[in-house]
Amino acid sequence: MALWDRLSSVETALLHTIFWSAGASRWDLAERLGYSKSKTNSLVASLLDVGLLEETGLAGSTGGRRPETVQLSQRLGVLIGADLGATSLDLAILRPDLSVLARRTEAADVRAGPGVVMARVRVLMRELLAECGATAQQVIGIGMGVPGPVDFESGQLVNPPLMPHWDSFSIRDYLREEYAAPVFVDNDVNLMALGELWRLQRSLQNFLVIKVGTGIGCGIVCHGEVYRGANGSAGDVGHICVDTAGPRCHCGNLGCVETMAAGPAITRMALEAAESGESALLAAVLADKGAISPEDVGQASRHGDAAANRIIQHTGNLIGQMLASVVNFFNPSHVFIGGGITRIGPLFLASVRQSIYQRSLALSTRHLEIHYTPLAEQAGLVGAGVLAMQETLKSKGSTR
Amino acid sequence: MALWDRLSSVETALLHTIFWSAGASRWDLAERLGYSKSKTNSLVASLLDVGLLEETGLAGSTGGRRPETVQLSQRLGVLIGADLGATSLDLAILRPDLSVLARRTEAADVRAGPGVVMARVRVLMRELLAECGATAQQVIGIGMGVPGPVDFESGQLVNPPLMPHWDSFSIRDYLREEYAAPVFVDNDVNLMALGELWRLQRSLQNFLVIKVGTGIGCGIVCHGEVYRGANGSAGDVGHICVDTAGPRCHCGNLGCVETMAAGPAITRMALEAAESGESALLAAVLADKGAISPEDVGQASRHGDAAANRIIQHTGNLIGQMLASVVNFFNPSHVFIGGGITRIGPLFLASVRQSIYQRSLALSTRHLEIHYTPLAEQAGLVGAGVLAMQETLKSKGSTR
């Protein structure tokens, strides 16, 4: 966009700060950036002039003149955020301040391979852009999350265990044919962590986001930044061992938490309970639908089914046991639990907490808070938007 | 020290860079700090003038005029570094560039409590200062490592399991009576990590240092900085579970790696092998000395004793199993193994490696390097010196 092709590093820093504050008053900005009020005022004025910023009403007053807030201007264009899960696809067109203009969520199967899935992504992008009257030329950045390890620099998937046909596939190259905007790709759990970090306006410096679905992954925020590790595989906690005598995982080792406590394990235990006659309720579900989902187990638990309760507690305990190791090592201030399966009832979170508090050291858990992800099922999509905007801003100039 | 009481933030940044480069040429400095050559030259000249820097001969030439390097001046004063282990005390007087002027290492027992141990620390500090002709007034910073969790801001120990009488003891207040210089305290393994980070001149951004001794701890370097966690207990890996059916640890849980694989566990297994008649060699050691140390096990292994080999392999495998979880989570580029016990023979490191490579994901271990700590038994002491110098510099002005 011609609007911002000649930004100074000071201007870029100001835009970053405004984006990460979800809008801010001139007074806040002066304080956060350590600039004088007059310097901040004149910077903001010139960025308002060229159309990079816009005024957005009044912030809460603390007495005296009420400060007007500024935010990134809608005139900059739009962002596309996409959150691809193992079995779902969530896509949105967002304003630069991450408010949603159009959104679509639907079932998807990543095992179908990049040809099928990305063709659908492309169609949805076009439809949603049309829905909000925007063109491909107005897109300023694209962020996408995928359920596998990503080499962040190249944007390519690396040996993704849940996405067998995607190894070395370049989402960036694929979308480049249609969009001039830069494309950024990251692991879905990293994007959940990035989304929560943005929502918290960086008020927490060291926390974890756990996603339990078909697999189990962890997003890490360290020193106020998403930490991706030496090869982009940090947070790959699904293959941490929780039972040295446990069943064999597809990775070749015994007792990985993912093979014992993720979605497929819950389904397997529920089938056993249905077939053995342990649970009449789950047997009825099986007879009715021919299959049992983790959601059915949650439903049965809410009806007081003892087998369903046992399965949920067992699963929560195993995940908590894995997290106890991680908490001892990382000493985060918060652990946020997300992913559809974790909402299968209050017993789940209680079991995770019990297991962590029992197995972690007192010092690590004295102030530790364990909650569901505040952004719930939106965390990944918000994170995709943050990635798109943040990396696009970075590419426009040097940052602080 | 009056020498540096009015430093600008630019000057402080220059001093930090010189310290972390272990001396640097003006050309290097200009490049690293992004300053022009003329600005760098004039900054260096003024700091040479006031005696904060000194010239130190010639750096390796790459053609053209050979660049002279500068380093922090000896005229600044001296640092004291102290590395207190569970059973040892290592103390040194260091120049600002961390070259050692005087050093003393001796046995110590932290369980004797802070009164006894710190009185000895104070005596040694006085003796070593006298040895190199320095006074307490010339000390510009003191850094000390301790084998327990530390609240870094206050410098106090927090519930240290190996140091029962030290809870809430303030090393800082104790030394303040004798030294005007600031005192900085940190966990011993964090200081090993800081020492290695300095030696590497920050060329690695994400690595781990494991110390195996009476306990097992881990220093974490993340985004090029030592990471201490939300409450200063990050890296407390000794109580990660490696066997859900293992023996009970003093922390109350079952199968903690520390209770199964640290020094006392090695001694216990060796005693069993001696008393059961499994190892004639270890039985002879026991008869001769009335006790067996981990070093004796190493010695027996080097003589081909099968029981000693089995103990070492078992220990290395358990530590590797714990590290596999940590590597999956953190995806470091390097794991450095340190602490006296880890040098009990080549079988130990081989077993650790085997266990990590077997249990960690391929992507996490593809480029992972596992070595002994390059600074060996000096890592903690060097780290204490780095802490003293770095934090003293920070206290003199704002950093970059």
Side-chain angles (χ1 to χ4, degrees):
Chain A
M1 304 294 288
L3 269 181
W4 55 11
D5 274 352
R6 275 189 300 271
L7 288 179
S8 71
S9 64
V10 172
E11 288 168 329
T12 319
L14 191 87
L15 294 176
H16 266 284
T17 305
I18 291 169
F19 173 66
W20 276 90
S21 329
S25 75
R26 291 162 178 82
W27 299 358
D28 288 343
L29 287 171
E31 201 173 289
R32 288 188 205 192
L33 289 160
Y35 298 160
S36 70
K37 284 183 187 170
S38 63
K39 179 177 178 180
T40 310
N41 274 333
S42 87
L43 270 171
V44 168
S46 78
L47 293 174
L48 281 166
D49 261 6
V50 296
L52 282 167
L53 295 179
E54 62 188 22
E55 309 254 10
T56 58
L58 302 171
S61 171
T62 53
R65 205 164 69 89
R66 295 175 72 189
E68 282 165 8
T69 59
V70 289
Q71 67 179 26
L72 298 186
S73 168
Q74 297 181 44
R75 286 172 54 196
L76 280 171
V78 297
L79 304 163
I80 303 180
D83 181 20
L84 178 62
T87 58
S88 65
L89 173 61
D90 195 3
L91 221 137
I93 311 297
L94 307 136
R95 289 209 186 92
D97 66 351
L98 300 196
S99 54
V100 174
L101 291 167
R103 179 177 175 187
R104 194 80 61 82
T105 305
E106 60 180 39
D109 184 355
V110 287
R111 290 170 305 178
V116 174
V117 174
M118 290 305 298
R120 183 64 192 154
V121 166
R122 185 138 73 168
V123 167
L124 281 179
M125 284 181 174
R126 274 189 213 142
E127 286 182 12
L128 287 175
L129 280 173
E131 206 173 289
C132 47
T135 63
Q137 289 72 44
Q138 286 175 294
V139 176
I140 54 174
I142 300 174
M144 181 159 178
V146 293
V150 173
D151 178 76
F152 188 70
E153 293 308 317
S154 71
Q156 286 185 11
L157 285 131
V158 187
N159 256 336
L162 297 177
M163 306 170 75
H165 307 296
W166 293 69
D167 191 25
S168 302
F169 179 79
S170 174
I171 291 170
R172 188 172 290 171
D173 288 348
Y174 184 89
L175 292 173
R176 194 169 281 157
E177 295 167 21
E178 192 148 349
Y179 298 94
V183 178
F184 307 98
V185 184
D186 202 350
N187 177 267
D188 57 349
V189 199
N190 289 348
L191 288 190
M192 290 173 71
L194 187 64
E196 299 293 350
L197 185 66
W198 180 82
R199 191 202 69 95
L200 292 160
Q201 299 184 19
R202 285 213 170 97
S203 58
L204 300 180
Q205 292 287 302
N206 307 299
F207 65 86
L208 303 178
V209 173
I210 308 295
K211 181 179 183 182
V212 186
T214 308
I216 298 179
C218 174
I220 305 170
V221 172
C222 181
H223 294 145
E225 302 279 346
V226 172
Y227 172 75
R228 298 186 173 89
N231 306 99
S233 76
D236 218 333
V237 298
H239 299 276
I240 288 181
C241 176
V242 287
D243 185 354
T244 43
R248 192 167 296 280
C249 175
H250 60 82
C251 77
N253 282 308
L254 300 178
C256 297
V257 67
E258 184 167 302
T259 211
M260 294 181 72
I266 294 174
T267 305
R268 196 175 57 239
M269 287 183 277
L271 273 175
E272 282 164 16
E275 286 165 354
S276 69
E278 193 196 347
S279 165
L281 218 158
L282 291 173
V285 172
L286 181 62
D288 186 35
K289 302 204 278 184
I292 309 179
S293 70
E295 290 69 30
D296 295 326
V297 179
Q299 197 63 30
S301 166
R302 275 184 286 275
H303 285 96
D305 185 78
N309 286 346
R310 182 185 52 73
I311 291 169
I312 291 173
Q313 282 175 315
H314 179 65
T315 307
N317 277 327
L318 289 173
I319 290 170
Q321 192 181 318
M322 174 278 285
L323 283 173
S325 298
V326 162
V327 163
N328 276 342
F329 172 78
F330 193 69
N331 182 210
S333 69
H334 292 67
V335 173
F336 297 116
I337 315 267
I341 283 171
T342 58
R343 313 261 165 174
I344 57 177
L347 277 178
F348 180 80
L349 189 59
S351 307
V352 171
R353 283 188 173 136
Q354 183 194 32
S355 196
I356 294 180
Y357 286 124
Q358 187 189 319
R359 280 243 45 130
S360 291
L361 290 180
L363 185 61
S364 301
T365 54
R366 193 185 288 176
H367 305 287
L368 177 68
E369 298 194 29
I370 305 163
H371 303 289
Y372 282 128
T373 43
L375 283 169
E377 71 283 3
Q378 300 211 43
L381 193 66
V382 171
V386 176
L387 181 75
M389 193 67 229
Q390 170 178 272
E391 298 301 317
T392 300
L393 274 176
K394 275 187 193 164
S395 72
K396 296 299 172 189
S398 52
T399 64
R400 271 187 312 158
Chain B
M1 304 295 288
L3 270 180
W4 55 10
D5 274 352
R6 277 189 298 270
L7 288 178
S8 71
S9 64
V10 171
E11 288 167 329
T12 319
L14 190 87
L15 294 177
H16 267 287
T17 305
I18 291 169
F19 173 65
W20 275 90
S21 328
S25 74
R26 292 163 177 81
W27 300 357
D28 287 343
L29 289 170
E31 200 172 290
R32 287 187 205 194
L33 288 160
Y35 299 160
S36 69
K37 283 184 189 170
S38 63
K39 179 178 178 179
T40 309
N41 275 333
S42 86
L43 270 170
V44 167
S46 76
L47 293 174
L48 281 167
D49 261 3
V50 297
L52 283 168
L53 295 179
E54 62 188 23
E55 308 255 11
T56 58
L58 303 170
S61 171
T62 53
R65 206 164 68 89
R66 296 174 73 189
E68 282 163 11
T69 59
V70 288
Q71 67 180 26
L72 299 186
S73 168
Q74 296 182 44
R75 286 172 54 195
L76 280 170
V78 297
L79 304 163
I80 303 181
D83 181 20
L84 178 62
T87 59
S88 65
L89 174 59
D90 196 2
L91 220 136
I93 312 297
L94 307 137
R95 290 209 185 93
D97 67 350
L98 300 197
S99 53
V100 175
L101 292 168
R103 179 176 174 187
R104 196 79 61 83
T105 306
E106 60 181 40
D109 185 355
V110 288
R111 290 170 307 177
V116 175
V117 174
M118 289 307 296
R120 184 63 192 154
V121 165
R122 185 137 73 168
V123 167
L124 281 179
M125 284 180 174
R126 276 190 211 139
E127 286 182 11
L128 287 176
L129 280 172
E131 205 174 289
C132 48
T135 64
Q137 290 72 43
Q138 287 175 295
V139 176
I140 53 174
I142 299 175
M144 183 159 175
V146 293
V150 173
D151 179 75
F152 188 70
E153 293 307 317
S154 72
Q156 287 184 12
L157 285 131
V158 186
N159 258 335
L162 297 177
M163 306 170 75
H165 306 296
W166 293 70
D167 191 27
S168 301
F169 180 79
S170 173
I171 290 171
R172 188 173 290 172
D173 288 348
Y174 183 89
L175 292 174
R176 195 170 281 158
E177 295 167 21
E178 194 151 344
Y179 297 94
V183 178
F184 307 98
V185 184
D186 202 350
N187 177 267
D188 58 349
V189 199
N190 288 349
L191 289 191
M192 289 173 71
L194 187 63
E196 298 292 351
L197 185 64
W198 180 81
R199 192 201 69 94
L200 292 160
Q201 299 185 17
R202 284 212 171 99
S203 58
L204 301 179
Q205 293 285 302
N206 307 300
F207 66 87
L208 303 178
V209 174
I210 307 296
K211 182 180 181 180
V212 186
T214 307
I216 299 179
C218 174
I220 306 171
V221 171
C222 180
H223 293 144
E225 302 279 345
V226 172
Y227 172 75
R228 297 185 174 88
N231 307 99
S233 76
D236 218 335
V237 297
H239 299 277
I240 288 180
C241 176
V242 286
D243 184 355
T244 44
R248 193 167 295 278
C249 176
H250 61 81
C251 77
N253 282 308
L254 299 179
C256 297
V257 66
E258 183 167 302
T259 212
M260 294 182 71
I266 295 175
T267 305
R268 197 176 56 240
M269 287 184 275
L271 273 175
E272 283 165 13
E275 286 165 354
S276 70
E278 194 195 346
S279 164
L281 218 158
L282 291 173
V285 172
L286 181 61
D288 185 33
K289 303 203 278 185
I292 308 178
S293 70
E295 290 70 30
D296 295 326
V297 179
Q299 197 63 29
S301 166
R302 276 184 286 274
H303 284 95
D305 184 80
N309 286 345
R310 181 185 52 76
I311 292 168
I312 292 172
Q313 282 175 316
H314 180 63
T315 307
N317 276 327
L318 289 172
I319 291 170
Q321 194 182 319
M322 174 277 285
L323 283 173
S325 299
V326 163
V327 163
N328 275 344
F329 172 79
F330 192 68
N331 182 211
S333 69
H334 291 68
V335 174
F336 297 116
I337 315 267
I341 282 171
T342 57
R343 311 262 166 174
I344 56 178
L347 276 178
F348 180 82
L349 190 59
S351 307
V352 171
R353 282 187 173 136
Q354 183 195 31
S355 197
I356 294 179
Y357 285 124
Q358 187 188 320
R359 279 242 46 127
S360 292
L361 289 180
L363 185 59
S364 300
T365 55
R366 192 184 290 177
H367 304 289
L368 177 68
E369 298 196 27
I370 305 164
H371 302 290
Y372 281 128
T373 42
L375 283 170
E377 71 284 3
Q378 300 211 46
L381 193 66
V382 171
V386 177
L387 182 74
M389 193 68 229
Q390 170 178 271
E391 298 301 318
T392 300
L393 275 176
K394 274 188 194 164
S395 72
K396 297 298 172 188
S398 53
T399 63
R400 275 186 310 156

